Amino acid sequence: MDRKNADELLAQTRKNYDDFSASFSQTRDYVPENIAALLEGFVRSGDRVLDIGCGAGGIDIALVRDHGAGYVCGIDVEDSVLAHARGRIGA
């Protein structure tokens, strides 16, 4: 495959992923029961948490709201998903 075709394929793949991730993040506005149970006792009140691969931020919000985390920093490689997460917390 030549460079031009590879670049075009990569651009289309990125667009498709952006479209998919934006709609997928809309389905992640809750924390499943098994994940909520896993978080019990994991974070103490006031803890600082780094969430690598935070997605739409549902777990991060739960860490603060339900488990008393003092600060949560969520990072993700997908800008559209992070935009959704920021919107959820009003940032």
Side-chain angles (χ1 to χ4, degrees), residues 2-69:
D2 66 27
R3 180 66 181 191
K4 181 181 178 208
N5 287 340
D7 288 344
E8 289 173 0
L9 182 60
L10 182 58
Q12 185 60 48
T13 300
R14 284 185 177 145
K15 181 188 179 321
N16 290 344
Y17 187 79
D18 285 347
D19 292 344
F20 168 78
S21 64
S23 62
F24 180 78
S25 67
Q26 302 294 324
T27 69
R28 297 296 175 230
D29 288 342
Y30 68 95
V31 177
E33 288 181 33
N34 60 331
I35 301 299
L38 181 69
L39 295 175
E40 265 322 301
F42 181 72
V43 175
R44 294 175 307 227
S45 181
D47 278 357
R48 297 171 62 85
V49 178
L50 172 62
D51 181 3
I52 300 171
C54 67
I59 290 174
D60 299 337
I61 291 167
L63 286 170
V64 173
R65 181 191 62 218
D66 303 334
H67 302 282

